[in-house]
Amino acid sequence: MSSIAIVGAGPQLGLAIARTFGTQGYDVALVSRDPEKLDGLVGKLTTEGITAAAFPADVLDRDALTQALKDAAERFGGIDVLEYSPLGAFGQVVLATPAESDYSHIQHEIEFQLYGAIAATKAVLPAMREAGTGTLLYTTGAGSLDPLPVVGNVNAAAAALRNWAVNLHKELDGTGIQAAHIGIDVSIAVSLIPGQPVIQPEDISPVYWDLHTTRRDQAELVFKG
């Protein structure tokens, strides 16, 4: 049985990705810092006939994140797909323009987006190398490509993750392991940026399956709706 680990799993895109893979027979490991939220998501998937389990961990706690993914691999016999897309807690993320940004504003986002992704990757990549197959998918907003000043510190970290993911794709070329960046240039479910299209998560999640199955030579996909 194949499996996917979704780091930063939530009730919108994370749940939609879980359903997309779960309906294809994949076991689903859900990782985020909120155990209660995870239990709710597992309950929904279970009622839909999808095998899922919760592995609580904060991406800022590298040891906990590594252990959660290790536990998921043990539970499901390995991790075939890793998807990384954590979101900061609403109301707690400091937003700063480039000129307003303090070192700490950018450092926190780097820790959250880039360093968390690196830790998650290191937890699953050795087994993928041994198997000669696997998929690593990293999600950011489109500000990683076309930044907006109002979220300058977040965009800077997202751009760093994008650069790292695309470079990882190049490094892993020929190994059987796919790494790709997904930049989402829409608002998901609700309008967040005036004038930006609003798309339901179920309309986005199929691109993750496509990257895993039919677009394995693609380093990046920008979703514009």
Side-chain angles (χ1 to χ4, degrees), residues 2 23 150 179 192:
S2 300
T23 55
V150 68
L192 297 176

Side-chain angles (χ1 to χ4, degrees), residues 69-85:
L69 290 168
K70 178 181 177 181
D71 292 344
E74 290 179 354
R75 169 73 178 271
F76 294 130
I79 299 297
D80 300 281
V81 183
L82 171 72
E83 192 280 323
Y84 187 86
S85 57

Side-chain angles (χ1 to χ4, degrees), residues 5 40 42 49 56 61 74 78 95 146 150 155 158 179 189 194:
V42 169
D61 186 337
E74 290 179 354
L95 302 179
D146 184 15
V150 68
N155 288 168

Side-chain angles (χ1 to χ4, degrees), residues 90-174:
F90 182 75
Q92 296 182 11
V93 177
V94 175
L95 302 179
T97 69
E100 294 170 341
S101 292
D102 182 79
Y103 295 116
S104 63
H105 297 152
I106 297 176
Q107 181 62 36
H108 177 271
E109 290 301 318
I110 289 287
E111 294 275 355
F112 189 75
Q113 297 195 57
L114 177 60
Y115 295 168
I118 292 172
T121 303
K122 286 184 175 295
V124 302
L125 184 54
M128 290 182 178
R129 284 189 183 277
E130 185 174 347
T133 186
T135 301
L136 304 162
L137 303 174
Y138 308 91
T139 304
T140 73
S144 60
L145 296 98
D146 184 15
L148 294 173
V150 68
V151 285
N153 60 319
V154 176
N155 288 168
L161 175 54
R162 171 185 178 262
N163 182 284
W164 182 84
V166 171
N167 214 11
L168 180 63
H169 174 91
K170 295 177 180 179
E171 180 186 2
L172 295 175
D173 183 38

Side-chain angles (χ1 to χ4, degrees), residues 185-188 190-191 193 195-199 224-225:
D185 194 15
V186 295
S187 293
I188 301 174
V190 297
S191 178
I193 300 175
Q196 188 179 54
V198 178
I199 299 293
K224 294 180 177 291

Side-chain angles (χ1 to χ4, degrees), residues 32-56:
S32 84
R33 61 181 171 268
D34 188 338
E36 184 175 348
K37 178 181 72 175
L38 287 180
D39 288 343
L41 298 178
V42 169
K44 286 183 180 180
L45 293 169
T46 300
T47 61
E48 296 169 15
I50 296 171
T51 300
F55 301 90

